[in-house]
Amino acid sequence: PNGHGMPSHLTFFMQVSFNTAGSVILMPWTFATLGYVSGPLLMALFFGVTLKAQSYLNRAAVDGRAGAARTLKELVTGMAGRRLGAAAAGLQAANLLLVMPAELDVTATALQYVVNARPGSAAHCNIIYVLVVAVPAVLVTQVVRRFGHKTGALACTSFALIVTKCALIVYGILRHADLYASDAAPVLGTGAAALSAGTYTWPNLFSALGNFLWVFAPVFLNTELVAEMQKPHHVHCQLLMACCCMFALYAVVGIVGARTWGLSVQDPINLQLPYDWVGVTVNVLLLYSAWLDYLISEIVFTGYVQEIFEPGFDKGDFSAGACARWFAYSMPANTCALVLISTVPQLETLVGVIVATSVTLSSWTIPALAGLHWGRRPVKDEE
C-alpha cells in the first residue's frame, strides 16, 4: 500500500467520469433498438465479460510479480512479454487518437445546440463550432504538458455533473413525454412497430451492441489508477462499484428514454431534447465533460508522439525552440481529429470504428491473452 497515494473513492469517481462523460447520451437509442428490458440484460452480460477480462490485469498489477508497472504497456509486458506489451501500447494510443474526433463531434454539436442559430445561416455551419472547440484545446496543450496528481476535486466535480446531467435528461424526456409515441418493444425481436419500421437490421443491432463496449472500457485507465492508489488491493471492489454505478446511470436514462419516446428516440439524445432550460443545461454540461476528455486525450497523445521523436524532451522548457517542437508534436492528433470528423461526421459511425478496432482488442483480447500467459507462469517458475 502507498500511504501517499490516491484514496479508493477518488479512483471510483475518476473511473465513472472517464467512461460516462459522452456515453450516456447513446443509451436511449440503444435500448429502443435492443428492447428496454432485454437491452439492460445484454448490457449486464457485456459488462460482466469486460470485468472478468480486466480482473486478469488487476490481479497481476496488485500482486507485483509483473514488476512495478505504472502503465498498461509495462503491465502487459511484465505479464506476457514485449510484443504483447507493444500491442497494448499501440492500441491505447490508437484509442486516444480515435476518441478525439468522437469527443470533438459531441462537443461541437452540443455547442451548436446551445447557440441555436437559424438553419442555413453562416452561424449554423458546423465547421465553425468544431474550430471553436479545437483551437482552445490546442492552445491549452501548449501550456499544460502534463497532469498533476491533485485530481480529486476535478473527479468529484465531474461525477456530480454527470449525475446532474443524467437526472436532467430523464426530466427533460418525461417533461415532454407526449412528443412521440411510446412504441418501443420491451424485448428484442418483438413489437409490431419495431418490425414494420425496420429497426432490427444487422447494422443497427451491431451498432447498439457495440455501444456496450464503448460505454465501459476501464482498461485504458485502470492500470494507471492502481499505480496511484493508497491500497491497490481495493481495485477489484472499486471497479465493481464503478461498474454498478455506471450500469445504474445508463439503465435509468436508457430505459426512460426508450420507454417514453419509443422508436422515435434519436442517437444522441441530447440533440433531440426540446430547446428549453433543460436542454441547454444538459448540453452545457456535456460540452464541459466532452471537451475535457478531448483535451486530456490530446495532451496524452502529444506526449506519446514526443516520446517517439524526443524521449529526453524537457516539458518544463518553454523556450522558443522547445515550444515550436511541442507544437509540432501536438499537430498529428489534432490534424487526424479534424480529418476524421470531416470525413466521418456521424458520432455513431465514429463510435463503431473505435469499438471495432481499439476498444474490443484492448478490453477483451489483450487481457485474455495476457491472462493466459500469466496463468502459465507459476508452472514455469516451479519447474
Side-chain angles (χ1 to χ4, degrees), residues 313-356:
F313 181 83
D314 181 8
K315 293 183 179 180
D317 181 5
F318 286 92
S319 63
C323 289
R325 296 198 304 278
W326 184 260
F327 178 77
Y329 299 145
S330 69
M331 282 298 97
N334 288 285
T335 302
C336 183
L338 291 173
V339 169
L340 282 175
I341 199 174
S342 300
T343 56
V344 190
Q346 292 185 347
L347 174 63
E348 190 61 32
T349 305
L350 288 169
V351 171
V353 170
I354 299 170
V355 169

Side-chain angles (χ1 to χ4, degrees), residues 89-101 141 144-147 293-309 315 326-337 340:
L91 288 170
Q92 195 170 27
N95 181 72
L96 287 171
L97 191 63
L98 293 172
V99 161
M100 286 180 63
T141 305
V144 182
R145 297 174 177 176
R146 59 163 62 93
F147 295 103
D293 275 0
Y294 179 82
L295 176 64
I296 292 172
S297 299
E298 179 183 354
I299 293 173
V300 174
F301 191 84
T302 300
Y304 283 164
V305 176
Q306 169 255 305
E307 285 292 332
I308 294 173
F309 291 99
K315 293 183 179 180
W326 184 260
F327 178 77
Y329 299 145
S330 69
M331 282 298 97
N334 288 285
T335 302
C336 183
L340 282 175

Side-chain angles (χ1 to χ4, degrees), residues 29-166:
W29 177 85
T30 300
F31 287 168
T33 302
L34 298 176
Y36 55 82
V37 173
S38 55
L41 296 177
L42 289 169
M43 182 169 67
L45 175 63
F46 272 70
F47 280 19
V49 174
T50 301
L51 277 176
K52 180 60 178 178
Q54 184 63 42
S55 69
Y56 298 134
L57 300 181
N58 287 344
R59 286 202 299 268
V62 170
D63 70 21
R65 287 181 295 159
R70 301 190 65 85
T71 65
L72 180 63
K73 177 183 179 181
E74 293 175 358
L75 178 61
V76 175
T77 299
M79 294 175 66
R82 293 181 181 178
R83 290 184 179 179
L84 199 60
L91 288 170
Q92 195 170 27
N95 181 72
L96 287 171
L97 191 63
L98 293 172
V99 161
M100 286 180 63
E103 298 295 354
L104 186 59
D105 178 80
V106 171
T107 309
T109 53
L111 180 60
Q112 190 174 22
Y113 174 98
V114 172
V115 173
N116 195 32
R118 180 175 55 83
S121 64
H124 192 68
C125 178
N126 65 325
I127 298 298
I128 295 175
Y129 299 96
V130 169
L131 294 176
V132 167
V133 169
V135 171
V138 174
L139 297 177
V140 171
T141 305
Q142 308 313 307
V143 180
V144 182
R145 297 174 177 176
R146 59 163 62 93
F147 295 103
H149 298 291
K150 297 181 179 179
T151 55
L154 179 62
C156 294
T157 302
S158 298
F159 178 78
L161 293 179
I162 287 168
V163 174
T164 303
K165 178 175 63 181
C166 292

